[in-house]
Amino acid sequence: MVEIAVMGHGVVGSGVVEVLTTHRESIARRAQEEIGIKYILDLRDFPDSPYADKFTKNFEDIVNDPEVRVVVEVMGGLRPAFEYVCRCMEAGKSVVTSNKELVATKGAELLKIARDHNVNFLFEASVGGGIPIIRPLHQCLAANDVIEIAGILNGTTNFILTKMIRESMSFEDALALAQKLGYAERNPAADVEGHDACRKICILASLAYGKHVYPEQVHTEGITDITLADVEYAENWGGVIKLIGQVKKQTSGKLQIIVCPMFVPAESQLSSVDDVFNGILVRGDATGDVVFYGKGAGKLPTASAVVADVIDCVKHFSSRKYLFWEDGSKDYVEDYMEDCVSMYVRASAADVNLSLLNAGTIFGGVTRLIRRDATADEFAFVTEKMPEKEISQKLKELTALGVQVQNTIRLGDF
Amino acid sequence: MVEIAVMGHGVVGSGVVEVLTTHRESIARRAQEEIGIKYILDLRDFPDSPYADKFTKNFEDIVNDPEVRVVVEVMGGLRPAFEYVCRCMEAGKSVVTSNKELVATKGAELLKIARDHNVNFLFEASVGGGIPIIRPLHQCLAANDVIEIAGILNGTTNFILTKMIRESMSFEDALALAQKLGYAERNPAADVEGHDACRKICILASLAYGKHVYPEQVHTEGITDITLADVEYAENWGGVIKLIGQVKKQTSGKLQIIVCPMFVPAESQLSSVDDVFNGILVRGDATGDVVFYGKGAGKLPTASAVVADVIDCVKHFSSRKYLFWEDGSKDYVEDYMEDCVSMYVRASAADVNLSLLNAGTIFGGVTRLIRRDATADEFAFVTEKMPEKEISQKLKELTALGVQVQNTIRLGDF
């Protein structure tokens, strides 16, 4: 029997307890050990829980108990999660977490502590919920150079965009529906402004390229500026708008990494990832494109990923799993203004035809997009591929000629 | 330095050598050991190969060399692969294979030998080429009950069906094109008659449910009877025809497992898996639907999966990976005639309207499908869900009323 502790009894934490209980037998078979929950840490009271006798409000009970060999951290946030996780590993316990903020901001540091104390620090559930992605990326693609990762990493924004695309719902209405259904928080900023997706692409990039990328290094745009007009233009272009986290390694060794809405071509496997689902495309030099698809969040999917990590810890007390990346550095990420992209531009002007002519001249040719209900002063086009700073400069020239740029969205190339 | 041997220098074998050479550094970093190729076994001569000094025609060189700790078997077929693999493991060497025939027919036996000799027997490349599926299914979904697996497991047939669907090419023309492009063998039976897909679903089913399913236990139909009329009716129904390998565990403990063409609804993630790509849907009780997508074959994708297994072996000399299933049994698979399905039926009759009325009466209601270029005596319908033996019986009744059944295809429910 291996004793574990679960820190946090919210949605994921209670799911972990549930999965460990309902799948006790098959888990014991696979782990080759029974797994028992000795403590559940939460400041709240759960007097009616069948696990009432396991609850504690005192972290010291867990860290000082030598019987506890694996600790699950599902509290979320950095405080006190970071301190607790450090102390558990320093005390010789392996840690499993679903906390993407913790991994995205402190991953390199925590992996080093794990290595120094010969314990495991695993975080499959931090990206993609129940979708296996961390382990396949690390193990199965070991014999590949990862050329690119592009993913729909946030289910809430994907639900909102799907409603806008499929049912012509406005952003505001779709957000309200997502909140009503429990897919979005009352304060939806972390989702709709792209911060959640940013943390996840940071984790994937750090793992794929072996060096930490911090969220503040990643240019991040959300979906709050997307309108139904943009959705219609995307359709006319031949695709859909998705919030994408993307990373590529350049020949210089620097990373190109961004989180923003993109036009995704209908042929792309990511274009059919709808509702609260996530999809992650990994482009390897040997494997070609591999896509992982599933529910990116939710109690049981996330809990089952946590429990799979717990099983892995139990199977690897003797030989630590080699999962590591080094500290990041300030100049590791290329300024996104240097990235070469094609851009969709929606704009308005008194003279649309003249403005399109001007756009063509300034950009060296553009492709016009149309939509049925465009107002008389509205137009849209996509540019050729060029460094984003050039696009920015050229849009200023266009503005000087009486054009108001309403929105710009990058075109995906995957 | 860990020495390995590669048995077979065909497409995959030469790919393994290539990946090990081109990715030498990153592989050494991940395996925490350099991996060297000591022998390449092939009966043919490769005098111009840069690895000419490593070739041997004598298996005994490999099995008797204690320096060789991992053997890669990429010869294919059962003879002499089975004997060689047994002898390598009995000599204390771990084995990695891409040989689906070997795993599908001898898996339980080989896993037992591996366990008895405390070595690893790994076969990630045997299903889905470069798509990570064996390891995610085994590890990441450990905390799930697998409700169902449904997959497009054969790239050749998927290419043919895609050409029929997208370009209205006939089966014969699409097959000829596949052969021209090197996607299909000169003798395409193993692919187009479903045997290759059958082996793969056997491996997935054996792993998911812990007990061997043998190919001869699985009712297997290929795609040779699919016509463009069927493709059009599928479109009218709202989907596409795909060759599917599917397994479910029933409450009785018996497996429902089949390989056959199915109507796949357009909403299904599998409907957009086109060309030579594979897609595998795993439905877990906790994770919900997870889909793995990528190239199911090809030199480098398959080789990279083999090499990932080699790395895993090297990392786990001390602690064997627990991957196991027990022997199968004769009554483990339910007679497919007991399965409940909805069926598409294409038929002809002198009086189409009367025949449709009769079909409605016999089946207790059917849904008619239409297509533009149907001949005057042609009609098609789908039935409600019922045991397949009932459908078979009712089709006999219909035949007795002057109807010729031309083709039947099951409807997928995933």
Side-chain angles (χ1 to χ4, degrees), chain A residues 86-282:
Chain A
C86 290
R87 288 188 56 201
C88 285
M89 293 198 291
E90 284 159 4
K93 303 174 195 310
S94 287
V95 170
V96 171
T97 186
S98 64
N99 186 335
K100 46 198 170 278
E101 187 178 358
L102 182 69
V103 182
T105 54
K106 301 286 186 183
E109 209 170 324
L110 292 168
L111 287 166
K112 190 168 178 306
I113 294 173
R115 189 175 65 174
D116 292 348
H117 292 84
N118 200 33
V119 295
N120 278 304
F121 176 64
L122 302 180
F123 44 86
E124 178 64 68
S126 66
V127 182
I131 310 172
I133 176 66
I134 299 291
R135 199 173 273 104
L137 184 61
H138 181 251
Q139 290 196 333
C140 299
L141 306 180
N144 269 268
D145 288 337
V146 176
I147 296 167
E148 173 175 359
I149 300 173
I152 295 170
L153 299 165
N154 178 273
T156 307
T157 45
N158 204 42
F159 175 84
I160 292 170
L161 290 171
T162 303
K163 287 290 160 192
M164 293 175 71
I165 294 163
R166 292 280 184 86
E167 300 172 29
S168 298
M169 218 179 254
S170 70
F171 171 78
E172 291 72 21
D173 289 350
L175 172 59
L177 179 62
Q179 287 172 318
K180 195 177 143 196
L181 294 172
Y183 296 152
E185 310 275 335
R186 194 180 293 254
N187 175 355
D191 289 320
V192 299
E193 288 172 11
H195 304 307
D196 175 78
C198 175
R199 288 168 184 155
K200 291 168 179 168
I201 196 69
C202 284
I203 295 171
L204 295 177
S206 301
L207 183 62
Y209 298 115
K211 186 167 168 174
H212 202 119
V213 184
Y214 301 95
E216 60 270 25
Q217 294 180 293
V218 180
H219 178 72
T220 300
E221 298 174 15
I223 63 164
T224 50
D225 293 336
I226 309 287
T227 66
L228 289 175
D230 299 320
V231 168
E232 285 173 39
Y233 283 121
E235 193 184 347
N236 174 251
W237 172 77
V240 287
I241 301 175
K242 296 286 183 189
L243 182 65
I244 299 289
Q246 186 183 28
V247 61
K248 296 180 194 181
K249 191 164 190 173
Q250 300 183 315
T251 44
S252 66
K254 286 192 183 191
L255 293 194
Q256 191 175 324
I257 180 166
I258 197 166
V259 172
C260 61
M262 289 190 190
F263 276 21
V264 177
E267 312 84 71
S268 168
Q269 283 297 313
L270 294 185
S271 72
S272 62
V273 175
D274 282 335
D275 297 317
V276 292
F277 285 85
N278 287 11
I280 301 160
L281 181 154
V282 179

Side-chain angles (χ1 to χ4, degrees), chain B residues 6-26:
Chain B
V6 181
M7 304 198 297
H9 199 64
V11 174
V12 178
S14 60
V16 168
V17 174
E18 184 180 329
V19 169
L20 281 169
T21 310
T22 53
H23 294 70
R24 174 181 294 274
E25 240 180 77
S26 65

Side-chain angles (χ1 to χ4, degrees), chain B residues 143-164:
Chain B
N144 270 268
D145 286 338
V146 175
I147 297 167
E148 174 175 359
I149 300 174
I152 295 169
L153 299 165
N154 179 272
T156 307
T157 46
N158 204 42
F159 175 84
I160 293 170
L161 289 170
T162 303
K163 288 288 161 193
M164 294 175 71

Side-chain angles (χ1 to χ4, degrees), chain A residues 19 22-23 26-27 29-30 32 124 130-133 135-145 207-208 269 272-274 277 285-295 300-305 307-308 311-312 315-316 318-322, chain B residues 19 22-23 26-27 29-30 32 124 130-133 135-145 207-208 269 272-274 277 285-295 300-305 307-308 311-312 315-316 318-322:
Chain A
V19 169
T22 53
H23 294 71
S26 65
I27 290 170
R29 198 173 59 240
R30 289 184 206 254
Q32 297 177 274
E124 178 64 68
I131 310 172
I133 176 66
R135 199 173 273 104
L137 184 61
H138 181 251
Q139 290 196 333
C140 299
L141 306 180
N144 269 268
D145 288 337
L207 183 62
Q269 283 297 313
S272 62
V273 175
D274 282 335
F277 285 85
D285 66 340
T287 53
D289 288 359
V290 176
V291 179
F292 303 86
Y293 167 94
K295 275 201 182 128
L300 291 182
T302 309
S304 95
V307 171
I311 294 171
D312 221 16
K315 285 162 73 181
H316 288 89
S318 55
S319 67
R320 210 176 65 81
K321 293 199 67 98
Y322 187 75
Chain B
V19 169
T22 53
H23 294 70
S26 65
I27 289 169
R29 198 172 60 240
R30 290 184 206 253
Q32 299 177 273
E124 177 64 67
I131 310 172
I133 176 66
R135 199 173 272 104
L137 183 61
H138 182 251
Q139 290 196 332
C140 299
L141 305 181
N144 270 268
D145 286 338
L207 183 62
Q269 282 297 312
S272 62
V273 176
D274 283 333
F277 284 85
D285 66 341
T287 52
D289 288 359
V290 177
V291 179
F292 303 86
Y293 167 93
K295 275 201 182 126
L300 292 182
T302 309
S304 94
V307 172
I311 294 172
D312 221 16
K315 285 162 73 182
H316 288 89
S318 56
S319 67
R320 210 176 65 82
K321 294 200 65 99
Y322 187 75

Side-chain angles (χ1 to χ4, degrees), chain A residues 30-52:
Chain A
R30 289 184 206 254
Q32 297 177 274
E33 281 271 14
E34 279 230 34
I35 296 176
I37 301 169
K38 189 157 180 185
Y39 301 101
I40 301 171
L41 178 71
D42 205 296
L43 291 179
R44 295 166 294 176
D45 288 311
F46 296 88
D48 302 330
S49 161
Y51 312 99

